[in-house]
Amino acid sequence: MSNTSNTAKTQNARTAHESDESEEARASTDERPSPMQVLRHARTQLAELTGMAPESVSSFEQTEDGWILEVEVLEIARVPDTMSLLASYRVELDPEGELTGYRRVRRYERGRADPHRPGGR
């Protein structure tokens, strides 16, 4: 009977260990922020640094080094609103979603469309 008892204990220990490993795998996956969490946190961080409220995210890409976003920001409010100045900021984040750098890549009036540019940029 002790063999049967030891076999059952070994199987239970193995099952518990496998369960712990799968929970650890889920936990490490859960530690990475979701794309929506990254977007929200990036907007908050950019607003804190620039003092300007982001209006939208026009580009979002996960890279080997983290994330790259293009965020549209209201720089100068004017009346009428179509004359307000907006800017696009390229925002770089590490894999955890913490801002590592940003720069303004263009500035434009709200009501103005971009002229066609070769290469899409």
Side-chain angles (χ1 to χ4, degrees), residues 13-32:
R14 194 174 296 140
T15 302
H17 181 69
E18 289 168 0
S19 176
D20 288 345
E21 286 177 351
S22 64
E23 283 181 26
E24 286 176 18
R26 277 195 304 272
S28 67
T29 300
D30 291 342
E31 289 174 13
R32 287 190 309 239

Side-chain angles (χ1 to χ4, degrees), residues 1 6 18 21 37 61-62 65 80 100 114 117 121:
M1 277 225 173
N6 286 340
E18 289 168 0
E21 286 177 351
Q37 290 171 319
E61 176 185 357
Q62 186 172 15
D65 299 327
T100 59
D114 280 344
R117 290 188 270 177
R121 289 216 96 165

Side-chain angles (χ1 to χ4, degrees), residues 30-103:
D30 291 342
E31 289 174 13
R32 287 190 309 239
S34 71
M36 286 307 297
Q37 290 171 319
V38 170
L39 288 171
R40 288 184 190 112
H41 193 53
R43 289 173 56 134
T44 300
Q45 292 177 87
L46 186 63
E48 287 180 27
L49 289 169
T50 64
M52 297 177 283
E55 291 202 347
S56 65
V57 176
S58 57
S59 172
F60 179 75
E61 176 185 357
Q62 186 172 15
T63 67
E64 291 179 7
D65 299 327
W67 307 87
I68 297 175
L69 288 73
E70 194 160 310
V71 181
E72 308 305 314
V73 173
L74 175 64
E75 286 203 332
I76 300 173
R78 292 189 176 152
V79 177
D81 192 45
T82 55
M83 297 303 292
S84 293
L85 283 180
L86 298 172
S88 292
Y89 282 81
R90 177 185 167 101
V91 179
E92 297 177 9
L93 304 130
D94 66 16
E96 289 77 38
E98 294 300 317
L99 195 141
T100 59
Y102 73 92
R103 66 182 163 96

